[in-house]
Amino acid sequence: MYDILDYLEKNLTTSFVGRKLHYLAVTSSTQDVARDMADRGAPEGTAVIAGIQQSGRGRLGRSWLSPEGGLATSIILRPATSVLPLLPAISALAVFRTVKSLGINAEIKWPNDILIGGRKVCGILIEHGLTSGAVRYSIMGIGININFDTSLYPEIAGFATSLSVELGHELPVGQVALRLYIELEGLYLRSMEPDAILTEWATNMITIGSRVKVKSANREIEGMAEGINGSGHLLLRQDDGIVQEILAGDVSLITDSSKR
Ligand code: BTN
């Protein structure tokens, strides 16, 4: 049997990301497993991988479908406060570069969805463990659709894709995880160069320069996505000229009628 743990242990060249690795064939959510481990003092870079998640969760209270054939991983980070605003960019770029390394053209949708031809192939959820309001650790949860046919799952068929659908063949999940952890560590270690990271993120983001609708917890606004600021927030110019700074929300492109 193909053993993902064995493959990663033999091939990883990182110094901390994925060095401590936990594989669970089935779990509720790797976010919860990683959170427990972080609370018990697991070192930075510890990663949890699940074959199947039964209650995978996404941003903005959504669920995340995690059938067999996907990569569901959560990585424990202990970032300096100054690095926290960069985590969406770092995570998105790590996946973006990983997908590109397979010869597939990808796009980033703010903040950190990865799309292929407008269809979502990856979602990222970053959660924080706090003590007295200060971030003690961050859990970076990454879900990549790899070896399953998204058209067979009605709940995502309309807007999602997978790497195997795009490539026309399956590929080892471990190979994707290996590249992901290497890219992630490289970007994280470069966090003292925020401008380079934010520029690469913005340059590959389809959101910028598009007319978009942003749904957040209590409102929905429309406008032109003009750029991102140094904190990674989206700058949206409304039709009345007022520029709104968006901290979190679900963005859909208005130029494209497909729901994303
Ligand atoms: C989103 O697009 O809304 C984010 C989805 C994040 C999914 C990943 S899969 C690994 C980790 N475990 C979870 O329960 N969620 C994240």
Side-chain angles (χ1 to χ4, degrees):
M1 195 187 85
Y2 168 72
D3 185 340
I4 187 170
L5 268 189
D6 192 48
Y7 174 80
L8 285 169
E9 271 157 17
K10 286 203 176 95
N11 292 285
L12 260 180
T13 53
T14 52
S15 59
F16 62 99
V17 172
R19 282 282 148 206
K20 290 245 182 294
L21 206 51
H22 298 262
Y23 177 82
L24 297 153
V26 181
T27 193
S28 51
S29 162
T30 54
Q31 291 295 97
D32 296 335
V33 179
R35 181 180 283 266
D36 275 359
M37 296 177 74
D39 282 335
R40 283 185 278 111
E44 181 161 67
T46 299
V48 179
I49 298 181
I52 294 172
Q53 290 185 121
Q54 292 169 321
S55 335
R57 60 176 180 269
R59 291 172 57 239
L60 310 167
R62 291 178 301 218
S63 59
W64 179 258
L65 185 77
S66 276
E68 198 171 350
L71 174 64
T73 184
S74 297
I75 301 116
I76 298 172
L77 298 171
R78 299 186 182 276
T81 309
S82 60
V83 176
L84 288 171
L86 291 177
L87 293 182
I90 287 173
S91 53
L93 283 174
V95 179
F96 173 78
R97 289 181 181 184
T98 299
V99 174
K100 294 275 278 192
S101 76
L102 300 167
I104 304 174
N105 245 330
E107 305 127 19
I108 299 168
K109 188 178 79 146
W110 184 89
N112 47 15
D113 282 353
I114 308 302
L115 313 181
I116 301 173
R119 293 183 157 261
K120 181 158 166 172
V121 70
C122 167
I124 299 172
L125 173 69
I126 299 169
E127 297 177 318
H128 305 286
L130 307 172
T131 304
S132 319
V135 171
R136 218 157 28 92
Y137 59 78
S138 301
I139 308 286
M140 185 180 279
I142 301 178
I144 307 181
N145 303 336
I146 303 183
N147 294 326
F148 59 92
D149 183 352
T150 41
S151 71
L152 300 178
Y153 297 87
E155 54 276 59
I156 60 167
F159 61 88
T161 189
S162 72
L163 296 179
S164 64
V165 165
E166 298 299 325
L167 288 168
H169 60 81
E170 297 203 343
L171 72 170
V173 172
Q175 185 190 318
V176 179
L178 179 79
R179 183 71 184 231
L180 175 69
Y181 293 159
I182 292 171
E183 294 290 357
L184 182 59
E185 181 171 296
L187 284 154
Y188 190 66
L189 291 174
R190 274 185 69 205
S191 52
M192 75 298 285
E193 298 168 47
D195 291 350
I197 290 172
L198 292 174
T199 302
E200 186 181 339
W201 185 43
T203 306
N204 293 296
M205 206 181 272
I206 44 161
T207 320
I208 309 297
S210 304
R211 189 167 177 82
V212 300
K213 186 162 36 171
V214 184
K215 275 191 218 163
S216 50
N218 51 359
R219 60 178 183 166
E220 185 170 310
I221 55 174
E222 251 185 64
M224 283 298 293
E226 290 200 329
I228 47 168
N229 65 14
S231 304
H233 300 157
L234 184 68
L235 300 174
L236 187 86
R237 184 176 294 277
Q238 298 178 159
D239 294 342
D240 59 8
I242 294 172
V243 176
Q244 298 276 0
E245 185 180 341
I246 313 289
L247 279 61
D250 191 36
V251 175
S252 40
L253 302 193
I254 291 177
T255 42
D256 186 331
S257 55
S258 67
K259 180 186 174 299
R260 283 171 180 167

Short mmCIF file of all heavy atoms in Angstrom, two decimals, residues 2 20 30 83 113 157 165 177 189 210 228 232 237 257:
data_model
loop_
_atom_site.label_atom_id
_atom_site.label_comp_id
_atom_site.label_asym_id
_atom_site.label_seq_id
_atom_site.Cartn_x
_atom_site.Cartn_y
_atom_site.Cartn_z
N TYR A 2 0.41 2.26 -0.73
CA TYR A 2 1.14 3.52 -0.78
C TYR A 2 1.04 4.19 0.59
O TYR A 2 -0.05 4.47 1.08
CB TYR A 2 0.52 4.40 -1.87
CG TYR A 2 0.97 5.82 -1.84
CD1 TYR A 2 2.26 6.16 -2.24
CD2 TYR A 2 0.12 6.83 -1.42
CE1 TYR A 2 2.68 7.47 -2.22
CE2 TYR A 2 0.53 8.13 -1.39
CZ TYR A 2 1.80 8.45 -1.80
OH TYR A 2 2.21 9.75 -1.77
N LYS A 20 7.13 16.84 12.12
CA LYS A 20 6.31 16.00 13.01
C LYS A 20 4.97 15.85 12.28
O LYS A 20 4.30 16.86 12.00
CB LYS A 20 6.07 16.69 14.35
CG LYS A 20 7.30 16.79 15.23
CD LYS A 20 7.10 15.96 16.50
CE LYS A 20 8.27 16.05 17.45
NZ LYS A 20 9.51 15.46 16.94
N THR A 30 -9.21 17.97 10.85
CA THR A 30 -7.78 18.06 11.22
C THR A 30 -7.52 19.33 12.02
O THR A 30 -6.55 19.40 12.78
CB THR A 30 -6.88 18.04 9.97
OG1 THR A 30 -7.31 19.08 9.07
CG2 THR A 30 -6.92 16.70 9.26
N VAL A 83 3.76 38.72 11.67
CA VAL A 83 3.59 37.78 10.55
C VAL A 83 2.11 37.40 10.34
O VAL A 83 1.71 36.96 9.27
CB VAL A 83 4.47 36.52 10.80
CG1 VAL A 83 4.27 35.46 9.72
CG2 VAL A 83 5.94 36.90 10.89
N ASP A 113 -8.56 31.43 -1.67
CA ASP A 113 -9.10 30.31 -2.45
C ASP A 113 -8.19 30.14 -3.66
O ASP A 113 -7.72 31.12 -4.23
CB ASP A 113 -10.50 30.62 -2.99
CG ASP A 113 -11.59 30.48 -1.92
OD1 ASP A 113 -11.27 30.01 -0.82
OD2 ASP A 113 -12.73 30.86 -2.22
N ALA A 157 -20.43 20.38 -7.15
CA ALA A 157 -20.24 20.13 -8.59
C ALA A 157 -20.29 21.41 -9.43
O ALA A 157 -19.56 21.55 -10.42
CB ALA A 157 -21.31 19.15 -9.08
N VAL A 165 -9.18 15.91 -12.18
CA VAL A 165 -10.09 16.32 -13.26
C VAL A 165 -9.31 17.18 -14.26
O VAL A 165 -9.42 17.02 -15.48
CB VAL A 165 -11.30 17.11 -12.68
CG1 VAL A 165 -12.05 17.85 -13.78
CG2 VAL A 165 -12.25 16.18 -11.94
N ALA A 177 1.44 17.01 -1.04
CA ALA A 177 1.73 17.47 0.33
C ALA A 177 3.20 17.84 0.47
O ALA A 177 3.54 18.86 1.10
CB ALA A 177 1.36 16.36 1.33
N LEU A 189 9.48 31.42 6.04
CA LEU A 189 10.80 31.88 6.46
C LEU A 189 11.18 33.21 5.79
O LEU A 189 12.13 33.86 6.19
CB LEU A 189 11.87 30.82 6.16
CG LEU A 189 11.77 29.56 7.02
CD1 LEU A 189 12.77 28.50 6.56
CD2 LEU A 189 11.99 29.90 8.50
N SER A 210 -11.17 43.49 -10.85
CA SER A 210 -12.49 42.97 -11.26
C SER A 210 -13.60 43.66 -10.47
O SER A 210 -13.39 44.14 -9.35
CB SER A 210 -12.61 41.47 -10.97
OG SER A 210 -11.58 40.77 -11.59
N ILE A 228 -4.85 45.47 -2.60
CA ILE A 228 -4.83 45.06 -1.19
C ILE A 228 -3.87 46.00 -0.47
O ILE A 228 -2.95 46.56 -1.09
CB ILE A 228 -4.35 43.60 -1.02
CG1 ILE A 228 -3.10 43.34 -1.85
CG2 ILE A 228 -5.43 42.60 -1.37
CD1 ILE A 228 -2.44 42.05 -1.51
N GLY A 232 -3.07 43.11 4.06
CA GLY A 232 -3.70 42.04 3.29
C GLY A 232 -5.20 42.24 3.11
O GLY A 232 -5.89 41.34 2.63
N ARG A 237 -13.62 49.78 -4.21
CA ARG A 237 -14.19 51.11 -4.49
C ARG A 237 -15.66 50.95 -4.89
O ARG A 237 -15.97 50.36 -5.91
CB ARG A 237 -13.42 51.82 -5.60
CG ARG A 237 -13.94 53.26 -5.84
CD ARG A 237 -13.11 53.99 -6.87
NE ARG A 237 -11.74 54.22 -6.43
CZ ARG A 237 -11.34 55.24 -5.65
NH1 ARG A 237 -12.23 56.12 -5.22
NH2 ARG A 237 -10.07 55.36 -5.32
N SER A 257 -20.83 34.93 -14.43
CA SER A 257 -22.11 34.62 -13.82
C SER A 257 -22.05 33.37 -12.94
O SER A 257 -22.96 33.13 -12.16
CB SER A 257 -23.15 34.41 -14.92
OG SER A 257 -22.69 33.43 -15.79
#
